[in-house]
Amino acid sequence: MTVSPEPSAALLLYLVKRLELATRAQLDAVLRPSGVTALQYTALTVLKRQRTMSAADLARASFVRAQSTSDLVSALERRGLIQRSADPANRRRLLISLTAAGHAFLAQYNPMVEELEERMLAGFDAADRDRFRDYLVAGRRAISDDPRA
């Protein structure tokens, strides 16, 4: 059985999902030797940008449910990629941050992930890349319940 090319009238949501699945499969392949999952990698990149976050904030920014955050954080902490420490403003709240090993992991794997993104955007010129990014952000914001999305 052969699969025909994407129909020009395909539902955009279908095409977005196909792109997500394709990029996720490629990201999983890039990360497989490290034992870090795509969701864990996403959490590490979020922490690099935000420096410290609560588990709930990390869950929202990393596309995982709050219930799943505990497992994700525990796995990254066991590997020494993140650490938890008491929030100076609220000693009962824990803040999560990258360790030196977490920064080193990202320094090693970010170039491979950037290469994957470059492959995905190979047919785009600079203006198309900017527009594509803007369209994705605008589409996400338009259907999000979170006004900060």
Side-chain angles (χ1 to χ4, degrees):
M1 175 179 182
T2 59
V3 177
S4 61
E6 304 291 350
S8 60
L11 196 62
L12 253 176
L13 292 177
Y14 173 79
L15 296 174
V16 168
K17 184 63 176 179
R18 296 258 328 208
L19 176 60
E20 176 200 1
L21 292 173
T23 56
R24 176 69 180 267
Q26 294 296 311
L27 182 58
D28 284 340
V30 165
L31 295 170
R32 190 170 292 117
S34 74
V36 169
T37 68
L39 288 175
Q40 291 169 343
Y41 175 81
T42 299
L44 293 172
T45 63
V46 167
L47 284 168
K48 182 173 181 174
R49 287 191 312 272
Q50 299 295 322
R51 298 184 55 94
T52 61
M53 302 178 84
S54 70
D57 290 337
L58 181 60
R60 280 188 290 279
S62 300
F63 315 113
V64 295
R65 289 185 227 132
Q67 299 88 336
S68 305
T69 307
S70 177
D71 292 339
L72 182 141
V73 168
S74 294
L76 292 173
E77 190 173 38
R78 274 193 307 276
R79 293 191 61 150
L81 300 175
I82 63 168
Q83 62 189 5
R84 292 186 260 196
S85 56
D87 181 347
N90 179 353
R91 303 290 296 165
R92 293 181 301 169
R93 184 174 125 155
L94 293 176
L95 295 177
I96 302 165
S97 60
L98 286 178
T99 61
H103 284 284
F105 176 87
L106 289 175
Q108 178 182 354
Y109 278 89
N110 280 351
M112 291 178 256
V113 173
E114 290 167 4
E115 182 181 312
L116 170 60
E117 185 172 304
E118 185 59 36
R119 282 180 31 222
M120 181 183 74
L121 299 174
F124 292 47
D125 65 25
D128 287 340
R129 288 172 186 229
D130 289 342
R131 279 191 295 275
F132 184 60
R133 183 180 307 277
D134 291 346
Y135 293 151
L136 290 173
V137 170
R140 166 83 166 84
R141 284 186 177 146
I143 63 171
S144 176
D145 293 335
D146 182 353
R148 301 168 294 165

